[in-house]
Amino acid sequence: LLTGISEDFNISSSQTGWMLTIYAWIVGVMSLPIMLLTSRMERKRLLLGTCSVFIISHGLSAIAWDFQSLLISRIGVACAHAVFWSITASIAIRVAPAGKMNFALSVLATGTGMAMVLGVPLGRLIGEYMGWRMAFEVIGLAALAITVAVFRLLPQLPSLTSSNLTAKV
């Protein structure tokens, strides 16, 4: 998608590549601080908020008017990414039936692998044939559908570090 983005904004591909570098740095650097800030939040609410930031940021990516606005929207996606991968394993373990925690983690790992093997090429195909903006729109819409499912199906999950649980333990 970088070529289409660089052509749209009339910048070099190497300049556009900084978008990936900045994204990776933000995910790496912000994971721990964001998790510390959100450690007492109820997990379903945190996941829904994270998904909302992800969806909104993808929508902004799709309508970016210049490279700087695209970069800012990708920073939102990176922050959502940092939180999402920090909480999904613990959520999967907590909602798994008794004796199925390992299976829940393996499903999560399989989904991650499938996203890389299938999602990246699919996103590229969409970007090549329908434009890079459509690739971001499709991701945002898919995330919206998943967020609705999470809203309906995931039970409330109090933070394990909340003062209520700490006092009971």
Side-chain angles (χ1 to χ4, degrees):
L1 302 180
L2 294 180
T3 303
I5 293 169
S6 62
E7 289 172 359
D8 264 12
F9 295 129
N10 200 27
I11 58 176
S12 69
S13 291
S14 60
Q15 286 175 298
T16 310
W18 276 102
M19 184 174 66
L20 301 176
T21 303
I22 292 168
Y23 183 98
W25 274 99
I26 288 171
V27 171
V29 170
M30 294 306 294
S31 292
L32 182 59
I34 292 174
M35 282 313 303
L36 291 173
L37 288 171
T38 61
S39 65
R40 295 186 184 272
M41 286 183 69
E42 190 272 328
R43 291 321 198 203
K44 180 178 181 177
R45 176 177 284 174
L46 178 57
L47 183 57
L48 290 171
T50 299
C51 290
S52 297
V53 170
F54 186 85
I55 293 162
I56 291 165
S57 296
H58 271 88
L60 291 172
S61 294
I63 63 168
W65 50 92
D66 58 19
F67 185 67
Q68 288 75 21
S69 62
L70 177 61
L71 193 58
I72 290 167
S73 70
R74 301 309 294 162
I75 290 170
V77 175
C79 288
H81 180 154
V83 174
F84 182 84
W85 290 114
S86 298
I87 64 173
T88 52
S90 65
I91 290 173
I93 288 170
R94 289 178 65 188
V95 299
K100 298 288 185 178
M101 290 180 193
N102 290 338
F103 179 73
L105 288 176
S106 69
V107 169
L108 180 63
T110 300
T112 302
M114 288 178 64
M116 295 301 292
V117 172
L118 301 174
V120 172
L122 182 59
R124 183 168 183 258
L125 282 173
I126 292 169
E128 289 290 321
Y129 291 104
M130 301 173 80
W132 64 268
R133 292 176 189 275
M134 183 58 74
F136 289 128
E137 287 178 34
V138 169
I139 293 168
L141 290 172
L144 178 61
I146 292 167
T147 302
V148 169
V150 166
F151 177 76
R152 290 185 176 171
L153 300 173
L154 188 68
Q156 297 290 314
L157 297 168
S159 169
L160 294 177
T161 61
S162 72
S163 56
N164 296 352
L165 287 177
T166 307
K168 291 179 185 177
V169 174

